[in-house]
């Protein structure tokens, strides 16, 4: 089921304004459970988690910043 351009824009806002802050809080709290690892390990974990949150949503974010297709501009 394909999402319309308007639905993609709405879902991307929900993801960025609600899900991303939750993901950041979750990632930082999980890192504190393990204590303070070496700085390079901590940096690597945060880099991996920073990319991993966006992978499931890449089909929603694709094309959101572009103008709406002509058939939806009624």
């Amino acid at each position: 089921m394909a999402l319309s351009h308007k639905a993609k824009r709405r879902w991307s806002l929900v993801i960025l304004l609600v899900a991303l802050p939750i993901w950041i809080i979750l990632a930082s709290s999980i890192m504190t459970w393990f204590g303070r690892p070496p700085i390079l390990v901590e940096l690597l974990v945060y880099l991996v988690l920073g990319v991993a949150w966006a992978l499931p949503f890449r089909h929603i974010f694709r094309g959101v910043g572009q103008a709406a297709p002509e058939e939806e501009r009624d």
Side-chain angles (χ1 to χ4, degrees):
M1 183 170 95
L3 293 172
S4 67
H5 186 73
K6 186 182 263 188
K8 281 185 175 185
R9 289 180 64 131
R10 287 181 181 159
W11 276 112
S12 64
L13 278 174
V14 169
I15 290 168
L16 289 174
L17 296 176
V18 176
L20 185 58
I22 291 171
W23 179 260
I24 292 169
I25 292 168
L26 184 68
S28 62
S29 64
I30 289 174
M31 284 299 292
T32 59
W33 291 344
F34 298 116
R36 183 75 188 226
I39 191 72
L40 291 178
V41 173
E42 188 174 5
L43 179 66
L44 180 65
V45 169
Y46 282 129
L47 284 174
V48 169
L49 290 175
V51 172
W53 76 268
L55 292 177
F57 304 119
R58 65 178 177 247
H59 68 279
I60 293 175
F61 291 122
R62 188 169 294 152
V64 170
Q66 299 174 355
E70 291 297 324
E71 67 254 9
E72 293 183 4
R73 287 190 185 178
D74 295 288

